[in-house]
Amino acid sequence: MPLDPAIESGDRSHTLAPVESVAQISTLLLDTDPTLDPGLARTARQAAAEGVVLLRNDGTLPLEGRRVAVFGRVQIDWFAVGYGSGGDVKVPYIWNLLAGLRDTGIQVDGELADRYASWTATHRPTFAATWGQWPHHFPEMPISAGDVAAAALRADTAVVAIGRAAGEARESVLEPGSYYLTADERALLDAVTDAFAHTVVVLDAGNVMDLSWLADYERRIGAVLYAWQGGMEGARAVASVLAGELAPSGKLTDTIARSYADYPSAPNFGHLDANEYVEDVFVGYRYFETFAPERVLFPFGYGLGYTTFAVTVVDQEKDAASLRLTVEVTNTGSRAGKEVVQVYAGAPDGALGKPARSLVAFAKTALLQPGERERVELTVRRDDLASYDDGGATGHRSCWVLEPGEYPVFVGTDVRSAAQVAAFHVTDLHVIQRLTEVAAPVVPFERLTLARGADGSAVIAHEPVPTATASRRDRITAGLPQEIPPTGDRGLTLGMVADGAASLDEFIAQLSDDELALLARGDVTMHSPLGAPGNAGVLGGVSESLRAKGVAPITTTDGPSGLRLSAYASLLPSGTALASTWNTDLVRELAALHGEEMLRKGSDVLLSPGMNIHRDPLCGRNFEYFSEDPVVTGSIAAAVVSGVQSAGVSACPKHFAANNQETNRTRNDSRVSERALREIYLRGFEICIREAKPKTLMTSYNQINGVWAHYHHDLVTRVLREEWGYEGVVITDWWMEDAVDPDFPALEDNAYRVRAQVDVLMPGGVKTEAGPQDYADDTILESLAREGGLTRGELQRTARNVLGLALALKPVIDARTLEA
């Protein structure tokens, strides 16, 4: 979502000075907000550390006993998180790398450190006054080869910190200082690697950047650490990993390719009006492992530690429905560490063509001491290996199918090294689930598919994408709800419903049309006076009449990396950092503490987690999201949701669906096959909803095959509610685009939205060419009065969804009211 006009500059020049010690943090907490939880900070530090991915190490790390010279201005001007609604938190402190290294006791070269501190103090970063125009990087401090050589006489190891930022409403770009290194950064690396025998590169970035330059330095760079922006404790966590206090155990959740052009999405990303998802289901490693393994620098799931592990399948039980694996992990090295066991499955080509490998399960061990071992249990369900036939190639259109053949199962610690341990043999075609066509493309294009060369090798082929054939109008008309006969006000309150003294339908029956329409929108603006100062918006009890009936205002706040309020709040690791832990238990623990902070700060709905697929490395908001893989995405998102909601509040996964770029994000059309939509872009949401049952869900800004997400009956009603059984509230991203329903011209704008079961317009006001306005439109009531317009039953259905949320949150809101 965008910020409101009052704070649209995104100016971070006021950020608090980085801390120098733990004692200083204690003072800051007491001076700023004693409600901030040190336990939350400790858990955030652990998560940030486990999210760090060690890509290369020749023994240079850990830094124990070394004298270290630290280069790069981001050692001080550390990027703690990305920009926009996913990161703009009023944070009480931010560790930087220099302070973190000193905190560990590492011998840091003081002369060089003082020079960087003095220079950065007089060369503060500048921030554009326009939303979405934040810097991708900060210019480097000038330093000569002679100065570097002098530092090498005082220290034996160099740490070079390179930083990148990304953010909402702005993509990364194929330019130096964004996706590529700048000339100054290359010159710094040249000078440092010439002067030092041991060099460590720390990448402070939330998104994937080009790493092809590593080949130019070969063994001159001994270690590379990818730090995924771990929030206020992130740099301290990185320092702890460098020093050996904490063991690196993060794994990549994206493939790092040799060049940007190698990514299958590259030709079809960033276009202004529409992007054709030509790569189809072959996203990320699914493409590379099938067609171009030689174009990979670091494979999906890859990450080193400071020790070694033996991973052995010691038992397996297989029947027709599932495979249960017992995997023993033994620490065979000399230091403590954690390991991630990853299970992948292959599939026969069949009529559909399938990726060589797809992740199906994973588990992370506890911290294992040298010689210690742990057994983890993982289950692979045969039906989860099915593919979706969107064109009838198998004779079963709109069905999940298992085609005949071998489905090998691989176990390992990354997608490339995983070895086959078992297989399912499917003799005949099985139809796993019969569905109906939804959200199919209306504009023809060709998609990538799999063919075989004469030698049996995988060859890229293309085929026309199946286009829409179903009648949306008939489908909607058949599913219109019955009206609850209005009774007028009978004095029933929502509290009486909560106590069992009245039914929810009886309560809804007494609501006027005006009150029903009010429940379908928020309180018009951000920073609603009905909620905690600085809130993102309020829904539910937005009028005196609704509040008199016991419907309390429900306060929403951003976001994925912390509560964006006027009060101080914790700044947590970015989405990619959390996912790179591959540790659902740790993420759930962190999210539960975050939920407790929501209680203290007056937030009822957290607009998190962000869980769109990393389709392309240039997407500006990738740092908020988790992975190129839907299983990682869904599993980490489910951990976030279950953790947050354990505190009695609500999480709100977003952005549903296929929101994979920021360029023209409110009008761009994601043109994607139904197969790719179901197997890749919806799969993570399905996992999250089935496992964690979020109370709230947010739609995306973009169109999906010609229909804006906030009007998408196929996705919200057919898939989300009917197929997956979702019973919660669906809200828009902030504001929406005007449109008339093409099948029901008596419906436009908010009436069109309500028919799709997108329940609430947030924050509730109108969006015009001049920008968001602080008044609501009347399209719901106007349509309700028209022939062929919105029905009262539909509006009552929306009210039921919103009031269900109000009832779920009632204990939390009542407790807050009593406390106040």
Side-chain angles (χ1 to χ4, degrees):
M1 82 178 55
L3 298 177
D4 65 298
I7 51 173
E8 237 181 24
S9 67
D11 184 357
R12 287 190 179 179
S13 59
H14 63 279
T15 300
L16 291 176
V19 298
E20 298 293 336
S21 68
V22 176
Q24 185 184 355
I25 290 178
S26 299
T27 301
L28 279 168
L29 292 180
L30 289 172
D31 289 346
T32 55
D33 191 336
T35 67
L36 293 170
D37 179 12
L40 175 56
R42 285 193 297 271
T43 307
R45 179 187 177 218
Q46 180 66 37
E50 288 202 25
V52 168
V53 180
L54 182 60
L55 295 177
R56 175 190 291 183
N57 189 26
D58 64 358
T60 301
L61 292 178
L63 295 174
E64 297 161 325
R66 295 180 181 272
R67 292 175 292 115
V68 177
V70 188
F71 297 88
R73 75 171 295 168
V74 295
Q75 65 177 286
I76 293 174
D77 292 326
W78 186 258
F79 289 112
V81 74
Y83 296 105
S85 58
D88 287 329
V89 174
K90 187 176 180 181
V91 58
Y93 66 86
I94 291 175
W95 279 90
N96 66 29
L97 185 61
L98 179 60
L101 286 169
R102 284 173 165 160
D103 181 66
T104 68
I106 291 292
Q107 299 178 57
V108 174
D109 178 48
E111 184 175 332
L112 182 62
D114 290 346
R115 181 173 173 182
Y116 270 104
S118 176
W119 187 87
T120 55
T122 56
H123 296 78
R124 300 309 304 144
T126 56
F127 294 80
T130 305
W131 168 259
Q133 295 301 308
W134 309 287
H136 291 295
H137 79 295
F138 300 145
E140 275 300 334
M141 181 185 83
I143 189 168
S144 69
D147 292 332
V148 174
L153 297 176
R154 303 186 299 268
D156 54 64
T157 302
V159 172
V160 180
I162 295 171
R164 289 292 183 273
E168 185 175 2
R170 187 180 196 186
E171 316 290 13
S172 297
V173 290
L174 296 174
E175 296 175 4
S178 183
Y179 191 69
Y180 299 114
L181 293 183
T182 66
D184 287 344
E185 290 166 338
R186 286 300 298 255
L188 179 61
L189 284 172
D190 290 343
V192 168
T193 55
D194 283 345
F196 284 82
H198 305 287
T199 299
V200 178
V201 174
V202 174
L203 300 169
D204 170 25
N207 296 25
V208 167
M209 62 181 289
D210 174 62
L211 297 185
S212 63
W213 47 271
L214 286 173
D216 298 336
Y217 297 93
E218 297 179 342
R219 296 183 180 179
R220 290 191 292 161
I221 294 178
V224 180
L225 204 68
Y226 216 123
W228 297 107
Q229 297 180 338
M232 64 190 189
E233 290 278 337
R236 185 183 179 206
V238 171
S240 297
V241 171
L242 291 171
E245 291 182 346
L246 297 174
S249 61
K251 302 286 186 176
L252 291 176
T253 62
D254 291 314
T255 306
I256 299 181
R258 294 187 178 277
S259 73
Y260 175 73
D262 291 323
Y263 290 98
S265 58
N268 295 285
F269 174 82
H271 300 314
L272 193 63
D273 296 323
N275 289 284
E276 295 175 347
Y277 287 38
V278 171
E279 70 280 2
D280 208 55
V281 298
F282 295 95
V283 176
Y285 73 88
R286 286 171 166 79
Y287 169 84
F288 288 107
E289 298 306 310
T290 306
F291 298 111
E294 75 285 355
R295 301 307 303 166
V296 174
L297 273 178
F298 298 101
F300 177 85
Y302 177 82
L304 302 173
Y306 290 156
T307 189
T308 54
F309 294 93
V311 177
T312 307
V313 177
V314 295
D315 189 32
Q316 50 181 290
E317 299 177 23
K318 184 162 73 83
D319 55 31
S322 64
L323 169 67
R324 290 170 291 281
L325 298 169
T326 302
V327 182
E328 186 170 86
V329 182
T330 304
N331 186 340
T332 57
S334 59
R335 301 182 69 97
K338 298 182 178 183
E339 185 57 283
V340 179
V341 179
Q342 302 166 36
V343 184
Y344 297 86
D349 293 349
L352 296 176
K354 305 171 189 72
R357 296 187 178 191
S358 298
L359 183 73
V360 290
F362 64 88
K364 190 167 191 174
T365 68
L367 185 69
L368 301 180
Q369 299 299 323
E372 192 175 3
R373 63 189 62 191
E374 180 183 342
R375 291 188 174 185
V376 296
E377 308 286 337
L378 301 108
T379 299
V380 180
R381 294 179 64 253
R382 188 197 67 166
D383 289 358
D384 287 343
L385 311 185
S387 300
Y388 189 78
D389 185 353
D390 58 359
T394 68
H396 300 277
R397 184 165 185 161
S398 302
C399 293
W400 287 98
V401 299
L402 278 172
E403 295 193 75
E406 291 290 321
Y407 291 78
V409 176
F410 308 89
V411 172
T413 56
D414 65 69
V415 69
R416 183 65 55 84
S417 67
Q420 183 173 347
V421 299
F424 289 97
H425 179 75
V426 177
T427 305
D428 302 306
L429 185 142
H430 288 265
V431 176
I432 304 303
Q433 188 178 20
R434 295 187 183 277
L435 299 173
T436 56
E437 175 193 299
V438 293
V442 293
V443 177
F445 64 92
E446 290 203 332
R447 65 179 174 187
L448 186 153
T449 189
L450 172 67
R452 293 288 173 182
D455 60 354
S457 61
V459 177
I460 292 174
H462 290 86
E463 65 181 9
V465 68
T467 52
T469 62
S471 168
R472 173 180 174 271
R473 179 183 177 86
D474 292 346
R475 177 182 294 171
I476 291 175
T477 302
L480 291 178
Q482 293 295 312
E483 178 181 327
I484 302 170
T487 61
D489 191 347
R490 297 171 54 203
L492 302 178
T493 66
L494 198 61
M496 295 170 67
V497 177
D499 293 338
S503 71
L504 185 56
D505 278 3
E506 288 175 324
F507 180 81
I508 291 171
Q510 66 177 354
L511 297 180
S512 68
D513 290 347
D514 283 344
E515 288 172 325
L516 291 170
L518 286 166
L519 288 172
R521 67 162 175 82
D523 190 34
V524 182
T525 64
M526 299 176 71
H527 296 282
S528 167
L530 299 176
N535 65 77
V538 165
L539 67 149
V542 300
S543 71
E544 289 186 8
S545 67
L546 286 169
R547 293 193 291 276
K549 291 180 173 67
V551 183
I554 297 169
T555 299
T556 69
T557 55
D558 286 315
S561 293
L563 302 178
R564 187 156 64 89
L565 287 164
S566 298
Y568 286 99
S570 305
L571 182 64
L572 305 182
S574 65
T576 306
L578 292 180
S580 295
T581 69
W582 293 64
N583 190 336
T584 54
D585 289 340
L586 177 60
V587 172
R588 189 178 297 107
E589 179 185 352
L590 178 65
L593 292 169
H594 197 194
E596 295 292 336
E597 185 170 73
M598 290 174 64
L599 294 177
R600 294 192 297 274
K601 301 293 184 181
S603 171
D604 303 311
V605 178
L606 182 70
L607 305 177
S608 167
M611 51 183 303
N612 293 109
I613 293 294
H614 292 176
R615 175 181 177 247
D616 188 279
L618 297 184
C619 176
R621 291 183 88 171
N622 277 354
F623 75 94
E624 289 187 49
Y625 308 145
F626 297 134
S627 176
E628 66 187 24
D629 177 78
V631 172
V632 170
T633 295
S635 300
I636 298 296
V640 172
V641 171
S642 60
V644 166
Q645 295 192 166
S646 69
V649 290
S650 173
C652 181
K654 62 183 186 181
H655 308 89
F656 190 71
N659 183 86
N660 305 111
Q661 77 169 40
E662 292 299 286
T663 301
N664 198 27
R665 60 184 180 157
T666 64
R667 302 196 65 81
N668 197 272
D669 188 10
S670 298
R671 295 176 180 168
V672 54
S673 77
E674 189 185 354
R675 180 185 177 190
L677 196 61
R678 287 186 178 274
E679 292 190 21
I680 304 294
Y681 300 101
L682 297 182
R683 178 66 176 140
F685 284 101
E686 181 180 11
I687 292 170
C688 178
I689 285 158
R690 292 193 189 280
E691 292 186 2
K693 296 179 172 54
K695 298 179 177 72
T696 319
L697 182 81
M698 182 192 293
T699 58
S700 57
Y701 279 131
N702 55 288
Q703 299 177 65
I704 302 97
N705 290 323
V707 180
W708 273 289
H710 46 255
Y711 297 133
H712 222 302
H713 185 276
D714 271 11
L715 292 184
V716 177
T717 295
R718 296 292 291 182
V719 174
L720 178 66
R721 297 191 187 276
E722 295 177 3
E723 290 184 16
W724 302 348
Y726 180 69
E727 296 179 345
V729 170
V730 178
I731 66 174
T732 69
D733 202 340
W734 267 223
W735 301 282
M736 66 180 197
E737 300 298 313
D738 296 341
V740 175
D741 189 321
D743 293 309
F744 303 95
L747 278 71
E748 60 184 310
D749 303 344
N750 284 298
Y752 183 7
R753 168 182 59 81
V754 168
R755 176 152 290 181
Q757 284 200 81
V758 177
D759 300 305
V760 183
L761 170 68
M762 291 297 295
V766 171
K767 180 181 178 183
T768 69
E769 292 296 327
Q773 304 298 313
D774 59 355
Y775 60 87
D777 75 10
D778 294 319
T779 50
I780 287 178
L781 296 176
E782 290 171 359
S783 181
L784 201 62
R786 290 181 193 152
E787 181 72 24
L790 192 70
T791 67
R792 184 174 288 105
E794 291 172 282
L795 205 49
Q796 290 170 333
R797 179 177 62 185
T798 281
R800 183 181 292 107
N801 293 334
V802 176
L803 294 170
L805 175 64
L807 286 166
L809 296 173
K810 194 174 188 305
V812 166
I813 295 173
D814 284 350
R816 185 169 67 231
T817 303
L818 285 172
E819 189 175 297

